[in-house]
Amino acid sequence: MYGLWKPRVLGAWRVPASGPVILAVNHAHNIDGPMLMGTAPRPVHFLIKKEAFLGPLDPFLRAIGQVEVDRTSTDRTAISNALGVLERGGVLGIFPEGTRGEGDFASLRAGLAYFAVRSGAPIVPVAVLGSADRPGRLVPALPPLRSRVDVVFGEPFQAGDSNGRRTRKALDEATVRIRERLTTHLENARRSTGR
């Protein structure tokens, strides 16, 4: 990442140095996941759509510990593997919107709340900014080479309530709390970076 672009990483010290943690990342461009993996202070295991596990990319993604997920149904194997990352004290990366979009956390899915409430792992909001500003001249599908991309880590927080409930209602309430925290972090990150 540092050879092709100019990442500016802010707040990486906020990521707990050990123990399970979930990085909740906005997703506006294909490069957001690799950019975070290349700049995060700890190895990140992302939930990645099964369509990406093709050809030579398949063994590479598996070797670096990425988690394959079938987005067309409830993928129990992916859920188990993701919880396993957290149980082993690892870092799970999630795009809470489920797919690439505006990158504004507007359409959050319940998966993030499920993993956070079930595991008890703190969530660290992450804003990747500048990746989708403009296309590159040589490769239009990527940001311009040597352009600045900001990766801004926020304060960790707990998604669950103080009662430790895991009901559907508790997950819905956690999703609302998460959306508020992620949206606030994104606004603050845009303000601090001028994006």
Side-chain angles (χ1 to χ4, degrees), residues 47-51 53 67-73 75 78-79:
L47 283 164
I48 299 177
K49 62 183 179 181
K50 72 175 186 176
E51 294 83 2
F53 287 77
V67 179
E68 178 182 359
V69 63
D70 182 350
R71 298 181 302 171
T72 62
S73 64
D75 188 339
I79 291 169

Side-chain angles (χ1 to χ4, degrees), residues 120-166:
I123 297 172
V124 173
V126 184
V128 178
L129 304 171
S131 58
D133 286 354
R134 56 190 164 88
R137 286 183 302 144
L138 296 175
V139 183
L142 295 173
L145 296 177
R146 305 303 299 147
S147 64
R148 192 182 91 209
V149 177
D150 293 324
V151 181
V152 186
F153 294 88
E155 291 290 344
F157 66 94
Q158 292 291 332
D161 62 19
S162 57
N163 299 326
R165 296 176 303 139
R166 294 183 181 177

